[in-house]
Amino acid sequence: MLKTLFTKGEIDDAVKRLASCIENDFDDEEILFVCLLKGSFMFLSDLIRCIKNTSTVDFMRVSSYGTAMKSKGEVTVTKDLEESIEGKNVVIVEDIIDSGLTLKVIKELLLKRNPKSLKICALLDKRARREVEMEGDYVGLTIDDGFVVGYGIDYAEHYRNLPEICVVEKDT
Ligand code: IMP
Ligand code: MG
């Protein structure tokens, strides 16, 4: 059973807040947005439309092994970036920070490629589930434990098309 956690209006407000923080921080500098597939594609598309800076986008896909609902931090890159990030202002766009393991690995990997700056923008943060130290630089909404879907985020590849963000609740 799905229960709405954030409406499209609440998501839009969070995205606009994030966009204006990013705009303020980067002045008139160019930004390369790195979208982590697949869960962040909808977030990226809304976010970049609210940001006036000159920008480019690139996509990366990683898989982290574990069960469908929990990652184990063994992260492999299944689709790498096409652009060099050297000397660029990079903003990683992620749907959810959960244990923090995925972003920790990606951050370390991308830092080795010598960007000018590297920031993390996450729509959702499950702070209580953190297993490693990992702070998003721009965080939209903090949520409790619980599995969410919608607005690009999936459960077994489904529900990405929902316009709102819902919690999956076990049927009783
Ligand atoms: P982490 O490595 O544990 O931080 O995992 C982060 C990734 O796990 C996110 O980018 C999501 O792809 C996935 N994930 C974590 N929580 C959820 C959820 O509630 N619904 C769907 N995917 C999730
Ligand atoms: Mg993800």
Side-chain angles (χ1 to χ4, degrees):
M1 205 183 83
L2 300 181
K3 193 174 151 230
T4 302
L5 185 62
F6 298 115
T7 62
K8 185 68 181 84
E10 290 170 320
I11 298 167
D12 285 346
D13 289 345
V15 170
K16 282 183 201 138
R17 276 200 308 275
L18 292 170
S20 94
C21 290
I22 293 172
E23 270 189 356
N24 283 338
D25 284 0
F26 286 91
D27 268 329
D28 51 2
E29 292 209 43
E30 182 162 339
I31 304 169
L32 165 57
F33 292 98
V34 167
C35 175
L36 299 186
L37 294 172
K38 296 179 188 175
S40 311
F41 76 95
M42 219 175 263
F43 175 39
L44 172 90
S45 71
D46 284 343
L47 182 74
I48 60 172
R49 276 180 283 182
C50 299
I51 295 176
K52 290 184 207 75
N53 296 55
T54 306
S55 63
T56 55
V57 296
D58 204 349
F59 299 87
M60 191 170 189
R61 181 146 205 225
V62 295
S63 66
S64 53
Y65 295 103
T67 63
M69 290 204 182
K70 190 170 184 331
S71 84
K72 256 181 50 196
E74 288 159 41
V75 178
T76 45
V77 175
T78 56
K79 186 218 171 292
D80 206 343
L81 299 174
E82 291 171 10
E83 279 186 60
S84 161
I85 65 166
E86 190 166 346
K88 296 180 183 168
N89 293 309
V90 176
V91 175
I92 299 173
V93 179
E94 171 66 315
D95 52 358
I96 306 171
I97 313 179
D98 187 14
S99 70
L101 289 160
T102 306
L103 276 174
K104 185 171 187 281
V105 172
I106 291 177
K107 202 175 169 184
E108 280 164 12
L109 182 89
L110 294 187
L111 279 174
K112 286 190 198 140
R113 300 181 186 179
N114 300 317
K116 180 176 178 191
S117 64
L118 183 66
K119 301 282 186 197
I120 291 170
C121 176
L123 180 62
L124 303 176
D125 190 354
K126 292 188 188 174
R127 302 196 65 90
R129 283 175 46 94
R130 208 68 97 248
E131 289 172 30
V132 290
E133 220 174 287
M134 171 50 61
E135 285 293 327
D137 298 285
Y138 308 99
V139 171
L141 300 156
T142 300
I143 59 173
D144 296 329
D145 200 357
F147 200 83
V148 296
V149 295
Y151 192 66
I153 302 163
D154 75 308
Y155 173 60
E157 293 299 326
H158 290 90
Y159 308 117
R160 294 191 197 274
N161 56 321
L162 300 178
E164 68 271 35
I165 293 172
C166 300
V167 181
V168 182
E169 290 187 336
K170 287 208 183 85
D171 295 318
T172 46

